Each structure stands twice: as C-alpha cells, then as structure tokens.
Amino acid sequence: MLLPDKAALARLLTRYRAEERSVLAQPHRAELHRALEDTAYTLCVLMDERTAQAAVRAAERYLGRAGHGPAPERSPARTESGGDRRYSPGGQTR
C-alpha cells in the first residue's frame, strides 16, 4: 500500500480537528458539516479506513501522535466544497 506524505497528512488531520471544533461550536451551519464530511472522506481514502474515527486513529499512529490527543488549537480552516458524502465524521456510512 502506498502511504501518504506525512506533511500533507498532518495538515489534513489538523484541518479535520479544526473543522470538528467548528461543527461542535456551530452545529446549525450546514456548510461546516459538509466541510468536515469532505475532510473525513479524504482521511478515510488516504488511510484506507471505512470510518472517520478509524482514519484519524490510523493517521495519528502513522504520524507518531497515538495517545497524544487531538492536534493543538489552530484557527479554523477554510471550507472546500465537493467530494463524495458516503462517509460521515460520526463513522456511519450513508
């Protein structure tokens, strides 16, 4: 299996955590949910996992962050649209 670039994966994981915090802070904003779902899907594809939780755990292990908790606080990431919505951050497939 090909493994993703560690720097790109670290940026994606940081973006996922920032989007996760944004959704928790403003759950009524659909565009934040879409951005989180897109990022979760990308993590799932890169890490060859079926759920966002499994993809995050795999990414953290690969980056050597296992057991260190979420990435440090960052400013919210910009929103990108598009992508497949089959995977949700909650781990349920649609």
Side-chain angles (χ1 to χ4, degrees), residues 36-78:
L36 180 61
E37 289 172 2
D38 288 344
T39 303
Y41 175 77
T42 303
L43 274 171
C44 287
V45 170
L46 284 176
M47 300 312 299
D48 194 30
E49 295 289 347
R50 292 181 54 91
T51 67
Q53 289 88 359
V56 166
R57 284 192 305 269
E60 288 173 341
R61 278 192 309 271
Y62 179 62
L63 295 172
R65 292 187 189 173
H68 292 62
E73 285 286 322
R74 306 274 178 164
S75 61
R78 71 178 191 279

Side-chain angles (χ1 to χ4, degrees), residues 15-40 75-82 85 88-89 94:
R15 186 169 82 199
Y16 176 84
R17 294 291 189 198
E19 290 170 351
E20 190 176 47
R21 286 188 301 274
S22 294
V23 166
L24 290 172
Q26 301 177 62
H28 60 282
R29 294 189 54 198
E31 70 275 9
L32 297 177
H33 286 272
R34 284 191 299 272
L36 180 61
E37 289 172 2
D38 288 344
T39 303
S75 61
R78 71 178 191 279
T79 311
E80 295 180 20
S81 61
R85 305 270 191 273
S88 72
R94 296 182 191 180

